[in-house]
């Protein structure tokens, strides 16, 4: 019988596989991360996983700007995933720092709500160069179709820049604490 990775099955993971050494239920989301792909999960989420043993304020909500692939893969696993560490000897660990994955086109209001939540203290981004919508000169491409859409309807963003601008506007309007700079 195959056992799939999930919070309920975490205790059944092989003993040699490292597991989160903190109570995942006590973890609060404090980071919104755009681009929850493999690079993010192998680096930033791994680092945050280590941090959570001492400070449970830094759980991650990943936001995909286009594809539901990561959400659809991780949701049945309660956003847990395994990481192979290739060193002198290979080791494995379960990463539990990702608490939620949103897909922006499916639920843009929830993405904005998450960005504006008072406990969010950090917004990070690892998207491809196309995701920043920059022109050849390195500045925001003001004729890019998605940027134009965001400029026309700033309260319903589609780009990472649009989401950030709208979230900051909403945080300011609500007199929320600003994100640290």
């Amino acid at each position: 019988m195959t056992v799939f990775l999930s919070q309920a099955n975490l205790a059944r993971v092989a003993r040699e596989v490292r597991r989160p050494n903190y109570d995942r239920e006590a973890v609060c989301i404090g980071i919104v991360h755009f681009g929850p792909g493999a690079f993010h999960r192998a680096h930033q989420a791994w680092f945050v996983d280590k941090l959570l043993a001492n400070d449970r304020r830094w759980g991650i909500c990943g936001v995909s700007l286009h594809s539901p692939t990561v959400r659809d893969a991780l949701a049945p696993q309660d956003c847990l995933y395994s990481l192979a560490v290739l060193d002198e000897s290979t080791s494995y660990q379960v990463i539990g720092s990702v608490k939620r994955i949103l897909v922006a086109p499916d639920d843009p209001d929830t993405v904005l709500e998450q960005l504006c939540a008072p406990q969010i203290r950090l917004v990070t981004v690892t998207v491809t160069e196309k995701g920043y919508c920059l022109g050849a000169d390195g500045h925001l491409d003001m004729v890019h179709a998605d940027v134009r859409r965001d400029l026309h309807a700033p309260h319903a963003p589609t780009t990472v820049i649009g989401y950030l601008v709208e979230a900051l506007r909403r945080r300011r309007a609500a007199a929320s604490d600003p994100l640290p700079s």
Side-chain angles (χ1 to χ4, degrees):
M1 178 171 109
T2 302
V3 177
F4 293 98
L5 184 59
S6 70
Q7 189 65 40
N9 292 330
L10 199 52
R12 297 175 68 187
V13 171
R15 283 193 328 223
E16 63 272 10
V17 176
R18 289 184 44 218
R19 296 177 208 120
N21 60 350
Y22 52 86
D23 177 7
R24 285 189 81 229
E25 296 299 318
V27 171
C28 298
I29 294 174
I31 301 170
V32 174
H33 178 79
F34 285 90
F39 181 83
H40 162 72
R41 294 192 319 272
H43 294 89
Q44 181 182 342
W46 168 83
F47 182 83
V48 170
D49 193 71
K50 292 175 67 163
L51 171 69
L52 290 173
N54 297 311
D55 190 342
R56 293 183 179 71
R57 297 176 298 164
W58 299 103
I60 300 168
C61 172
V63 176
S64 173
L65 287 170
H66 301 289
S67 172
T69 304
V70 173
R71 179 203 57 200
D72 294 351
L74 293 183
Q77 301 176 178
D78 301 318
C79 293
L80 294 167
Y81 62 94
S82 58
L83 178 69
V85 179
L86 307 175
D87 206 343
E88 288 181 31
S89 63
T90 301
S91 63
Y92 301 91
Q93 72 181 89
V94 174
I95 305 296
S97 56
V98 178
K99 296 284 292 179
R100 184 179 199 188
I101 301 279
L102 299 172
V103 179
D106 292 354
D107 203 352
D109 291 332
T110 302
V111 172
L112 287 165
E113 288 169 14
Q114 188 71 76
L115 285 164
C116 295
Q119 73 272 15
I120 299 303
R121 305 303 300 154
L122 191 61
V123 177
T124 58
V125 180
T126 53
V127 296
T128 65
E129 64 280 358
K130 292 187 309 185
Y132 292 102
C133 301
L134 301 179
D137 62 358
H139 294 97
L140 188 62
D141 182 357
M142 302 304 277
V143 297
H144 188 287
D146 292 339
V147 172
R148 290 173 53 131
R149 190 175 311 119
D150 284 355
L151 290 169
H152 178 71
H155 304 306
T158 58
T159 67
V160 69
I161 301 298
Y163 273 101
L164 293 173
V165 169
E166 178 59 12
L168 291 171
R169 185 199 66 77
R170 288 183 185 195
R171 287 178 78 105
R172 183 176 185 191
S176 299
D177 288 339
L179 293 169
S181 55

